[in-house]
Amino acid sequence: MSAERIGTTPATLAGPAAAPKGRLENLNIASHRVLITPEELKAKLPVTEAVRETVQAGREAVRAVLDRADPRLLVVVGPCSIHDVAAAHEYAGAAARAGRRGQ
């Protein structure tokens, strides 16, 4: 895939030293990887009935808290992206333990 397809130039992919003077964006890009489309992801990971039920139950629980029908406190926490799966599991475990202490 060429750099032009994703809207960058080879200079921006090379780093700041190769960037044209005055360039302000993408100066520290060393490489890129094109992600699959949402449609491709859905085809690779079809939603099972169990997944559908879990998502629906979670949405209903959040809605109940937001509507004040459920007195629990809703706290949204977590990393915005996961690049280290082991660290994400550790974080999730710590969050779950903290949640149990708060009940």
mmCIF file of all heavy atoms in Angstrom, residues 21-71:
data_model
loop_
_atom_site.group_PDB
_atom_site.id
_atom_site.type_symbol
_atom_site.label_atom_id
_atom_site.label_comp_id
_atom_site.label_asym_id
_atom_site.label_seq_id
_atom_site.Cartn_x
_atom_site.Cartn_y
_atom_site.Cartn_z
ATOM 1 N N LYS A 21 10.152 21.860 5.681
ATOM 2 C CA LYS A 21 10.155 22.930 6.677
ATOM 3 C C LYS A 21 8.748 23.482 6.842
ATOM 4 O O LYS A 21 8.035 23.682 5.861
ATOM 5 C CB LYS A 21 11.105 24.045 6.248
ATOM 6 C CG LYS A 21 11.221 25.128 7.283
ATOM 7 C CD LYS A 21 12.253 26.152 6.927
ATOM 8 C CE LYS A 21 12.289 27.177 8.040
ATOM 9 N NZ LYS A 21 13.383 28.072 7.913
ATOM 10 N N GLY A 22 8.331 23.700 8.080
ATOM 11 C CA GLY A 22 7.012 24.241 8.353
ATOM 12 C C GLY A 22 5.939 23.181 8.511
ATOM 13 O O GLY A 22 4.812 23.486 8.868
ATOM 14 N N ARG A 23 6.267 21.953 8.255
ATOM 15 C CA ARG A 23 5.288 20.865 8.388
ATOM 16 C C ARG A 23 4.978 20.660 9.868
ATOM 17 O O ARG A 23 5.883 20.540 10.682
ATOM 18 C CB ARG A 23 5.855 19.593 7.791
ATOM 19 C CG ARG A 23 4.937 18.433 7.871
ATOM 20 C CD ARG A 23 4.376 18.134 6.542
ATOM 21 N NE ARG A 23 3.405 17.075 6.699
ATOM 22 C CZ ARG A 23 2.525 16.812 5.794
ATOM 23 N NH1 ARG A 23 2.499 17.508 4.698
ATOM 24 N NH2 ARG A 23 1.667 15.849 5.970
ATOM 25 N N LEU A 24 3.706 20.622 10.239
ATOM 26 C CA LEU A 24 3.319 20.518 11.642
ATOM 27 C C LEU A 24 2.695 19.184 12.022
ATOM 28 O O LEU A 24 2.617 18.854 13.194
ATOM 29 C CB LEU A 24 2.327 21.638 11.987
ATOM 30 C CG LEU A 24 2.849 23.060 11.804
ATOM 31 C CD1 LEU A 24 1.742 24.062 12.103
ATOM 32 C CD2 LEU A 24 4.046 23.308 12.688
ATOM 33 N N GLU A 25 2.204 18.426 11.056
ATOM 34 C CA GLU A 25 1.493 17.189 11.369
ATOM 35 C C GLU A 25 2.290 15.962 10.930
ATOM 36 O O GLU A 25 3.041 16.019 9.964
ATOM 37 C CB GLU A 25 0.129 17.177 10.683
ATOM 38 C CG GLU A 25 -0.783 18.275 11.196
ATOM 39 C CD GLU A 25 -2.126 18.276 10.496
ATOM 40 O OE1 GLU A 25 -2.449 17.303 9.813
ATOM 41 O OE2 GLU A 25 -2.843 19.262 10.645
ATOM 42 N N ASN A 26 2.086 14.868 11.644
ATOM 43 C CA ASN A 26 2.668 13.571 11.321
ATOM 44 C C ASN A 26 4.188 13.575 11.279
ATOM 45 O O ASN A 26 4.796 12.828 10.525
ATOM 46 C CB ASN A 26 2.114 13.047 9.983
ATOM 47 C CG ASN A 26 0.644 12.782 10.057
ATOM 48 O OD1 ASN A 26 0.117 12.392 11.094
ATOM 49 N ND2 ASN A 26 -0.049 13.010 8.966
ATOM 50 N N LEU A 27 4.815 14.383 12.099
ATOM 51 C CA LEU A 27 6.271 14.466 12.074
ATOM 52 C C LEU A 27 6.954 13.262 12.701
ATOM 53 O O LEU A 27 8.100 12.977 12.393
ATOM 54 C CB LEU A 27 6.735 15.745 12.781
ATOM 55 C CG LEU A 27 6.305 17.038 12.113
ATOM 56 C CD1 LEU A 27 6.851 18.222 12.894
ATOM 57 C CD2 LEU A 27 6.758 17.096 10.670
ATOM 58 N N ASN A 28 6.267 12.565 13.591
ATOM 59 C CA ASN A 28 6.897 11.446 14.295
ATOM 60 C C ASN A 28 6.353 10.089 13.866
ATOM 61 O O ASN A 28 6.455 9.128 14.607
ATOM 62 C CB ASN A 28 6.722 11.640 15.809
ATOM 63 C CG ASN A 28 7.427 12.885 16.284
ATOM 64 O OD1 ASN A 28 8.604 13.054 16.005
ATOM 65 N ND2 ASN A 28 6.715 13.762 16.948
ATOM 66 N N ILE A 29 5.803 10.028 12.686
ATOM 67 C CA ILE A 29 5.262 8.770 12.170
ATOM 68 C C ILE A 29 6.393 7.953 11.567
ATOM 69 O O ILE A 29 7.040 8.376 10.616
ATOM 70 C CB ILE A 29 4.171 9.022 11.104
ATOM 71 C CG1 ILE A 29 3.069 9.910 11.650
ATOM 72 C CG2 ILE A 29 3.631 7.702 10.554
ATOM 73 C CD1 ILE A 29 2.319 9.338 12.820
ATOM 74 N N ALA A 30 6.644 6.783 12.142
ATOM 75 C CA ALA A 30 7.699 5.914 11.627
ATOM 76 C C ALA A 30 7.135 4.881 10.657
ATOM 77 O O ALA A 30 7.830 4.424 9.755
ATOM 78 C CB ALA A 30 8.393 5.207 12.782
ATOM 79 N N SER A 31 5.879 4.512 10.833
ATOM 80 C CA SER A 31 5.247 3.536 9.946
ATOM 81 C C SER A 31 3.744 3.619 10.141
ATOM 82 O O SER A 31 3.264 4.334 11.014
ATOM 83 C CB SER A 31 5.737 2.117 10.251
ATOM 84 O OG SER A 31 5.300 1.724 11.537
ATOM 85 N N HIS A 32 3.040 2.887 9.342
ATOM 86 C CA HIS A 32 1.586 2.832 9.486
ATOM 87 C C HIS A 32 1.109 1.446 9.102
ATOM 88 O O HIS A 32 1.804 0.703 8.408
ATOM 89 C CB HIS A 32 0.901 3.892 8.621
ATOM 90 C CG HIS A 32 0.951 3.579 7.162
ATOM 91 N ND1 HIS A 32 2.035 3.891 6.378
ATOM 92 C CD2 HIS A 32 0.060 2.958 6.353
ATOM 93 C CE1 HIS A 32 1.808 3.482 5.142
ATOM 94 N NE2 HIS A 32 0.627 2.913 5.099
ATOM 95 N N ARG A 33 -0.073 1.114 9.592
ATOM 96 C CA ARG A 33 -0.692 -0.165 9.252
ATOM 97 C C ARG A 33 -2.160 0.118 9.013
ATOM 98 O O ARG A 33 -2.850 0.674 9.868
ATOM 99 C CB ARG A 33 -0.523 -1.152 10.405
ATOM 100 C CG ARG A 33 -1.142 -2.506 10.103
ATOM 101 C CD ARG A 33 -0.864 -3.478 11.202
ATOM 102 N NE ARG A 33 -1.306 -2.908 12.481
ATOM 103 C CZ ARG A 33 -1.417 -3.604 13.590
ATOM 104 N NH1 ARG A 33 -1.083 -4.863 13.630
ATOM 105 N NH2 ARG A 33 -1.848 -3.033 14.690
ATOM 106 N N VAL A 34 -2.645 -0.249 7.864
ATOM 107 C CA VAL A 34 -4.043 -0.022 7.524
ATOM 108 C C VAL A 34 -4.895 -1.055 8.245
ATOM 109 O O VAL A 34 -4.599 -2.254 8.234
ATOM 110 C CB VAL A 34 -4.245 -0.115 6.000
ATOM 111 C CG1 VAL A 34 -5.711 0.046 5.646
ATOM 112 C CG2 VAL A 34 -3.407 0.953 5.299
ATOM 113 N N LEU A 35 -5.925 -0.595 8.919
ATOM 114 C CA LEU A 35 -6.828 -1.478 9.643
ATOM 115 C C LEU A 35 -7.888 -2.036 8.706
ATOM 116 O O LEU A 35 -8.209 -1.430 7.679
ATOM 117 C CB LEU A 35 -7.498 -0.710 10.780
ATOM 118 C CG LEU A 35 -6.559 -0.104 11.811
ATOM 119 C CD1 LEU A 35 -7.352 0.710 12.826
ATOM 120 C CD2 LEU A 35 -5.742 -1.172 12.500
ATOM 121 N N ILE A 36 -8.452 -3.166 9.087
ATOM 122 C CA ILE A 36 -9.544 -3.709 8.293
ATOM 123 C C ILE A 36 -10.782 -2.850 8.506
ATOM 124 O O ILE A 36 -10.897 -2.131 9.499
ATOM 125 C CB ILE A 36 -9.827 -5.191 8.642
ATOM 126 C CG1 ILE A 36 -10.301 -5.351 10.085
ATOM 127 C CG2 ILE A 36 -8.607 -6.039 8.366
ATOM 128 C CD1 ILE A 36 -10.718 -6.772 10.438
ATOM 129 N N THR A 37 -11.721 -2.954 7.599
ATOM 130 C CA THR A 37 -12.943 -2.161 7.697
ATOM 131 C C THR A 37 -13.866 -2.772 8.752
ATOM 132 O O THR A 37 -13.726 -3.951 9.104
ATOM 133 C CB THR A 37 -13.692 -2.145 6.356
ATOM 134 O OG1 THR A 37 -14.141 -3.484 6.067
ATOM 135 C CG2 THR A 37 -12.806 -1.626 5.229
ATOM 136 N N PRO A 38 -14.813 -1.992 9.254
ATOM 137 C CA PRO A 38 -15.785 -2.558 10.197
ATOM 138 C C PRO A 38 -16.523 -3.763 9.611
ATOM 139 O O PRO A 38 -16.792 -4.730 10.325
ATOM 140 C CB PRO A 38 -16.741 -1.395 10.452
ATOM 141 C CG PRO A 38 -15.899 -0.176 10.233
ATOM 142 C CD PRO A 38 -14.975 -0.552 9.102
ATOM 143 N N GLU A 39 -16.824 -3.713 8.337
ATOM 144 C CA GLU A 39 -17.525 -4.831 7.703
ATOM 145 C C GLU A 39 -16.667 -6.096 7.726
ATOM 146 O O GLU A 39 -17.162 -7.199 7.979
ATOM 147 C CB GLU A 39 -17.909 -4.480 6.264
ATOM 148 C CG GLU A 39 -18.975 -3.411 6.153
ATOM 149 C CD GLU A 39 -18.443 -1.993 6.376
ATOM 150 O OE1 GLU A 39 -17.213 -1.764 6.287
ATOM 151 O OE2 GLU A 39 -19.264 -1.110 6.662
ATOM 152 N N GLU A 40 -15.363 -5.956 7.458
ATOM 153 C CA GLU A 40 -14.468 -7.105 7.495
ATOM 154 C C GLU A 40 -14.353 -7.662 8.916
ATOM 155 O O GLU A 40 -14.346 -8.876 9.114
ATOM 156 C CB GLU A 40 -13.080 -6.715 6.973
ATOM 157 C CG GLU A 40 -13.051 -6.428 5.488
ATOM 158 C CD GLU A 40 -11.737 -5.812 5.035
ATOM 159 O OE1 GLU A 40 -11.207 -4.931 5.745
ATOM 160 O OE2 GLU A 40 -11.249 -6.209 3.966
ATOM 161 N N LEU A 41 -14.297 -6.775 9.892
ATOM 162 C CA LEU A 41 -14.218 -7.205 11.288
ATOM 163 C C LEU A 41 -15.474 -7.977 11.686
ATOM 164 O O LEU A 41 -15.404 -9.028 12.320
ATOM 165 C CB LEU A 41 -14.018 -6.003 12.213
ATOM 166 C CG LEU A 41 -13.913 -6.318 13.698
ATOM 167 C CD1 LEU A 41 -12.720 -7.220 13.988
ATOM 168 C CD2 LEU A 41 -13.826 -5.043 14.502
ATOM 169 N N LYS A 42 -16.631 -7.469 11.294
ATOM 170 C CA LYS A 42 -17.889 -8.151 11.617
ATOM 171 C C LYS A 42 -17.966 -9.513 10.950
ATOM 172 O O LYS A 42 -18.506 -10.463 11.529
ATOM 173 C CB LYS A 42 -19.076 -7.289 11.192
ATOM 174 C CG LYS A 42 -19.256 -6.071 12.068
ATOM 175 C CD LYS A 42 -20.382 -5.189 11.539
ATOM 176 C CE LYS A 42 -20.499 -3.914 12.331
ATOM 177 N NZ LYS A 42 -21.521 -3.009 11.781
ATOM 178 N N ALA A 43 -17.412 -9.620 9.742
ATOM 179 C CA ALA A 43 -17.410 -10.912 9.053
ATOM 180 C C ALA A 43 -16.487 -11.910 9.754
ATOM 181 O O ALA A 43 -16.797 -13.100 9.832
ATOM 182 C CB ALA A 43 -16.989 -10.727 7.599
ATOM 183 N N LYS A 44 -15.362 -11.426 10.271
ATOM 184 C CA LYS A 44 -14.409 -12.303 10.950
ATOM 185 C C LYS A 44 -14.865 -12.687 12.350
ATOM 186 O O LYS A 44 -14.519 -13.744 12.848
ATOM 187 C CB LYS A 44 -13.042 -11.624 11.045
ATOM 188 C CG LYS A 44 -12.313 -11.553 9.733
ATOM 189 C CD LYS A 44 -10.934 -10.961 9.930
ATOM 190 C CE LYS A 44 -10.204 -10.955 8.592
ATOM 191 N NZ LYS A 44 -8.764 -10.951 8.752
ATOM 192 N N LEU A 45 -15.617 -11.793 13.014
ATOM 193 C CA LEU A 45 -16.055 -12.035 14.388
ATOM 194 C C LEU A 45 -17.571 -11.869 14.480
ATOM 195 O O LEU A 45 -18.072 -10.883 15.026
ATOM 196 C CB LEU A 45 -15.369 -11.043 15.336
ATOM 197 C CG LEU A 45 -13.850 -11.092 15.398
ATOM 198 C CD1 LEU A 45 -13.306 -9.920 16.200
ATOM 199 C CD2 LEU A 45 -13.375 -12.410 15.971
ATOM 200 N N PRO A 46 -18.299 -12.841 13.982
ATOM 201 C CA PRO A 46 -19.757 -12.698 14.033
ATOM 202 C C PRO A 46 -20.271 -12.674 15.472
ATOM 203 O O PRO A 46 -19.676 -13.277 16.366
ATOM 204 C CB PRO A 46 -20.259 -13.937 13.290
ATOM 205 C CG PRO A 46 -19.134 -14.903 13.318
ATOM 206 C CD PRO A 46 -17.868 -14.093 13.410
ATOM 207 N N VAL A 47 -21.335 -11.947 15.685
ATOM 208 C CA VAL A 47 -21.920 -11.807 17.012
ATOM 209 C C VAL A 47 -22.758 -13.048 17.326
ATOM 210 O O VAL A 47 -23.672 -13.388 16.590
ATOM 211 C CB VAL A 47 -22.796 -10.536 17.076
ATOM 212 C CG1 VAL A 47 -23.505 -10.440 18.412
ATOM 213 C CG2 VAL A 47 -21.943 -9.304 16.831
ATOM 214 N N THR A 48 -22.429 -13.685 18.447
ATOM 215 C CA THR A 48 -23.196 -14.844 18.879
ATOM 216 C C THR A 48 -24.382 -14.359 19.710
ATOM 217 O O THR A 48 -24.440 -13.203 20.128
ATOM 218 C CB THR A 48 -22.336 -15.776 19.751
ATOM 219 O OG1 THR A 48 -21.977 -15.086 20.955
ATOM 220 C CG2 THR A 48 -21.076 -16.224 19.012
ATOM 221 N N GLU A 49 -25.289 -15.241 19.994
ATOM 222 C CA GLU A 49 -26.439 -14.888 20.819
ATOM 223 C C GLU A 49 -25.989 -14.504 22.225
ATOM 224 O O GLU A 49 -26.527 -13.571 22.822
ATOM 225 C CB GLU A 49 -27.453 -16.033 20.865
ATOM 226 C CG GLU A 49 -28.769 -15.640 21.488
ATOM 227 C CD GLU A 49 -29.433 -14.433 20.803
ATOM 228 O OE1 GLU A 49 -29.323 -14.258 19.584
ATOM 229 O OE2 GLU A 49 -30.072 -13.638 21.532
ATOM 230 N N ALA A 50 -24.981 -15.198 22.749
ATOM 231 C CA ALA A 50 -24.467 -14.867 24.081
ATOM 232 C C ALA A 50 -23.876 -13.457 24.105
ATOM 233 O O ALA A 50 -24.103 -12.700 25.056
ATOM 234 C CB ALA A 50 -23.415 -15.891 24.512
ATOM 235 N N VAL A 51 -23.153 -13.101 23.066
ATOM 236 C CA VAL A 51 -22.585 -11.746 22.977
ATOM 237 C C VAL A 51 -23.706 -10.723 22.895
ATOM 238 O O VAL A 51 -23.692 -9.699 23.585
ATOM 239 C CB VAL A 51 -21.632 -11.627 21.769
ATOM 240 C CG1 VAL A 51 -21.278 -10.174 21.486
ATOM 241 C CG2 VAL A 51 -20.379 -12.454 21.992
ATOM 242 N N ARG A 52 -24.690 -11.001 22.065
ATOM 243 C CA ARG A 52 -25.829 -10.084 21.896
ATOM 244 C C ARG A 52 -26.537 -9.857 23.233
ATOM 245 O O ARG A 52 -26.846 -8.723 23.598
ATOM 246 C CB ARG A 52 -26.787 -10.651 20.854
ATOM 247 C CG ARG A 52 -27.908 -9.729 20.442
ATOM 248 C CD ARG A 52 -28.812 -10.348 19.377
ATOM 249 N NE ARG A 52 -28.108 -11.038 18.309
ATOM 250 C CZ ARG A 52 -27.533 -10.438 17.246
ATOM 251 N NH1 ARG A 52 -27.580 -9.136 17.139
ATOM 252 N NH2 ARG A 52 -26.928 -11.140 16.328
ATOM 253 N N GLU A 53 -26.751 -10.920 23.977
ATOM 254 C CA GLU A 53 -27.431 -10.809 25.272
ATOM 255 C C GLU A 53 -26.596 -10.027 26.282
ATOM 256 O O GLU A 53 -27.125 -9.208 27.039
ATOM 257 C CB GLU A 53 -27.760 -12.203 25.810
ATOM 258 C CG GLU A 53 -28.856 -12.900 25.029
ATOM 259 C CD GLU A 53 -29.050 -14.352 25.437
ATOM 260 O OE1 GLU A 53 -28.382 -14.815 26.400
ATOM 261 O OE2 GLU A 53 -29.865 -15.031 24.790
ATOM 262 N N THR A 54 -25.280 -10.252 26.281
ATOM 263 C CA THR A 54 -24.397 -9.535 27.198
ATOM 264 C C THR A 54 -24.401 -8.043 26.903
ATOM 265 O O THR A 54 -24.508 -7.214 27.817
ATOM 266 C CB THR A 54 -22.960 -10.085 27.099
ATOM 267 O OG1 THR A 54 -22.969 -11.463 27.473
ATOM 268 C CG2 THR A 54 -21.999 -9.318 27.987
ATOM 269 N N VAL A 55 -24.296 -7.690 25.638
ATOM 270 C CA VAL A 55 -24.302 -6.276 25.251
ATOM 271 C C VAL A 55 -25.634 -5.637 25.622
ATOM 272 O O VAL A 55 -25.682 -4.541 26.194
ATOM 273 C CB VAL A 55 -24.003 -6.115 23.742
ATOM 274 C CG1 VAL A 55 -24.258 -4.688 23.277
ATOM 275 C CG2 VAL A 55 -22.567 -6.530 23.439
ATOM 276 N N GLN A 56 -26.725 -6.313 25.329
ATOM 277 C CA GLN A 56 -28.047 -5.773 25.636
ATOM 278 C C GLN A 56 -28.230 -5.575 27.142
ATOM 279 O O GLN A 56 -28.723 -4.539 27.586
ATOM 280 C CB GLN A 56 -29.147 -6.687 25.088
ATOM 281 C CG GLN A 56 -30.538 -6.129 25.243
ATOM 282 C CD GLN A 56 -30.726 -4.838 24.461
ATOM 283 O OE1 GLN A 56 -30.185 -4.662 23.378
ATOM 284 N NE2 GLN A 56 -31.475 -3.907 25.016
ATOM 285 N N ALA A 57 -27.800 -6.561 27.928
ATOM 286 C CA ALA A 57 -27.930 -6.449 29.381
ATOM 287 C C ALA A 57 -27.077 -5.299 29.910
ATOM 288 O O ALA A 57 -27.513 -4.541 30.789
ATOM 289 C CB ALA A 57 -27.525 -7.764 30.049
ATOM 290 N N GLY A 58 -25.882 -5.135 29.381
ATOM 291 C CA GLY A 58 -25.023 -4.034 29.798
ATOM 292 C C GLY A 58 -25.627 -2.685 29.470
ATOM 293 O O GLY A 58 -25.603 -1.754 30.286
ATOM 294 N N ARG A 59 -26.182 -2.575 28.267
ATOM 295 C CA ARG A 59 -26.821 -1.313 27.874
ATOM 296 C C ARG A 59 -28.017 -0.994 28.762
ATOM 297 O O ARG A 59 -28.229 0.160 29.152
ATOM 298 C CB ARG A 59 -27.264 -1.383 26.413
ATOM 299 C CG ARG A 59 -26.099 -1.338 25.443
ATOM 300 C CD ARG A 59 -26.563 -1.476 24.018
ATOM 301 N NE ARG A 59 -25.438 -1.362 23.100
ATOM 302 C CZ ARG A 59 -25.496 -1.675 21.821
ATOM 303 N NH1 ARG A 59 -26.630 -2.133 21.292
ATOM 304 N NH2 ARG A 59 -24.437 -1.551 21.055
ATOM 305 N N GLU A 60 -28.790 -2.015 29.083
ATOM 306 C CA GLU A 60 -29.953 -1.804 29.950
ATOM 307 C C GLU A 60 -29.515 -1.385 31.357
ATOM 308 O O GLU A 60 -30.134 -0.505 31.969
ATOM 309 C CB GLU A 60 -30.806 -3.067 29.994
ATOM 310 C CG GLU A 60 -31.541 -3.327 28.680
ATOM 311 C CD GLU A 60 -32.227 -4.675 28.632
ATOM 312 O OE1 GLU A 60 -32.203 -5.420 29.644
ATOM 313 O OE2 GLU A 60 -32.771 -5.013 27.564
ATOM 314 N N ALA A 61 -28.437 -1.979 31.859
ATOM 315 C CA ALA A 61 -27.938 -1.625 33.187
ATOM 316 C C ALA A 61 -27.450 -0.174 33.211
ATOM 317 O O ALA A 61 -27.747 0.574 34.151
ATOM 318 C CB ALA A 61 -26.812 -2.576 33.605
ATOM 319 N N VAL A 62 -26.727 0.231 32.192
ATOM 320 C CA VAL A 62 -26.252 1.613 32.114
ATOM 321 C C VAL A 62 -27.427 2.570 32.013
ATOM 322 O O VAL A 62 -27.478 3.598 32.697
ATOM 323 C CB VAL A 62 -25.276 1.803 30.933
ATOM 324 C CG1 VAL A 62 -24.997 3.269 30.667
ATOM 325 C CG2 VAL A 62 -23.987 1.039 31.186
ATOM 326 N N ARG A 63 -28.394 2.244 31.180
ATOM 327 C CA ARG A 63 -29.569 3.103 31.015
ATOM 328 C C ARG A 63 -30.295 3.266 32.344
ATOM 329 O O ARG A 63 -30.739 4.356 32.702
ATOM 330 C CB ARG A 63 -30.508 2.525 29.948
ATOM 331 C CG ARG A 63 -31.848 3.229 29.784
ATOM 332 C CD ARG A 63 -31.787 4.698 29.461
ATOM 333 N NE ARG A 63 -30.974 4.978 28.307
ATOM 334 C CZ ARG A 63 -30.423 6.171 28.053
ATOM 335 N NH1 ARG A 63 -30.606 7.180 28.864
ATOM 336 N NH2 ARG A 63 -29.676 6.352 27.010
ATOM 337 N N ALA A 64 -30.421 2.174 33.112
ATOM 338 C CA ALA A 64 -31.107 2.244 34.403
ATOM 339 C C ALA A 64 -30.384 3.189 35.363
ATOM 340 O O ALA A 64 -31.020 3.956 36.082
ATOM 341 C CB ALA A 64 -31.227 0.847 35.020
ATOM 342 N N VAL A 65 -29.047 3.155 35.354
ATOM 343 C CA VAL A 65 -28.290 4.064 36.213
ATOM 344 C C VAL A 65 -28.480 5.506 35.739
ATOM 345 O O VAL A 65 -28.729 6.414 36.544
ATOM 346 C CB VAL A 65 -26.793 3.695 36.232
ATOM 347 C CG1 VAL A 65 -25.976 4.758 36.961
ATOM 348 C CG2 VAL A 65 -26.591 2.324 36.867
ATOM 349 N N LEU A 66 -28.380 5.726 34.431
ATOM 350 C CA LEU A 66 -28.540 7.082 33.896
ATOM 351 C C LEU A 66 -29.943 7.639 34.130
ATOM 352 O O LEU A 66 -30.109 8.841 34.343
ATOM 353 C CB LEU A 66 -28.206 7.110 32.408
ATOM 354 C CG LEU A 66 -26.750 6.788 32.044
ATOM 355 C CD1 LEU A 66 -26.583 6.753 30.534
ATOM 356 C CD2 LEU A 66 -25.793 7.768 32.687
ATOM 357 N N ASP A 67 -30.929 6.759 34.093
ATOM 358 C CA ASP A 67 -32.311 7.179 34.345
ATOM 359 C C ASP A 67 -32.633 7.257 35.835
ATOM 360 O O ASP A 67 -33.761 7.546 36.211
ATOM 361 C CB ASP A 67 -33.292 6.200 33.677
ATOM 362 C CG ASP A 67 -33.305 6.319 32.174
ATOM 363 O OD1 ASP A 67 -32.833 7.346 31.641
ATOM 364 O OD2 ASP A 67 -33.795 5.380 31.510
ATOM 365 N N ARG A 68 -31.658 6.935 36.679
ATOM 366 C CA ARG A 68 -31.789 6.938 38.140
ATOM 367 C C ARG A 68 -32.780 5.891 38.651
ATOM 368 O O ARG A 68 -33.290 5.997 39.769
ATOM 369 C CB ARG A 68 -32.142 8.322 38.657
ATOM 370 C CG ARG A 68 -31.059 9.335 38.323
ATOM 371 C CD ARG A 68 -31.415 10.716 38.807
ATOM 372 N NE ARG A 68 -30.499 11.688 38.259
ATOM 373 C CZ ARG A 68 -29.561 12.310 38.961
ATOM 374 N NH1 ARG A 68 -29.422 12.064 40.226
ATOM 375 N NH2 ARG A 68 -28.774 13.177 38.378
ATOM 376 N N ALA A 69 -33.037 4.883 37.841
ATOM 377 C CA ALA A 69 -33.858 3.769 38.293
ATOM 378 C C ALA A 69 -32.999 2.785 39.093
ATOM 379 O O ALA A 69 -33.511 1.979 39.847
ATOM 380 C CB ALA A 69 -34.494 3.055 37.104
ATOM 381 N N ASP A 70 -31.697 2.853 38.915
ATOM 382 C CA ASP A 70 -30.731 2.026 39.630
ATOM 383 C C ASP A 70 -29.847 2.975 40.424
ATOM 384 O O ASP A 70 -29.258 3.903 39.858
ATOM 385 C CB ASP A 70 -29.904 1.239 38.609
ATOM 386 C CG ASP A 70 -28.929 0.257 39.242
ATOM 387 O OD1 ASP A 70 -28.390 0.572 40.329
ATOM 388 O OD2 ASP A 70 -28.685 -0.795 38.642
ATOM 389 N N PRO A 71 -29.740 2.803 41.739
ATOM 390 C CA PRO A 71 -28.999 3.756 42.565
ATOM 391 C C PRO A 71 -27.474 3.632 42.483
ATOM 392 O O PRO A 71 -26.758 4.445 43.059
ATOM 393 C CB PRO A 71 -29.475 3.433 43.984
ATOM 394 C CG PRO A 71 -29.798 1.978 43.930
ATOM 395 C CD PRO A 71 -30.374 1.760 42.542
#
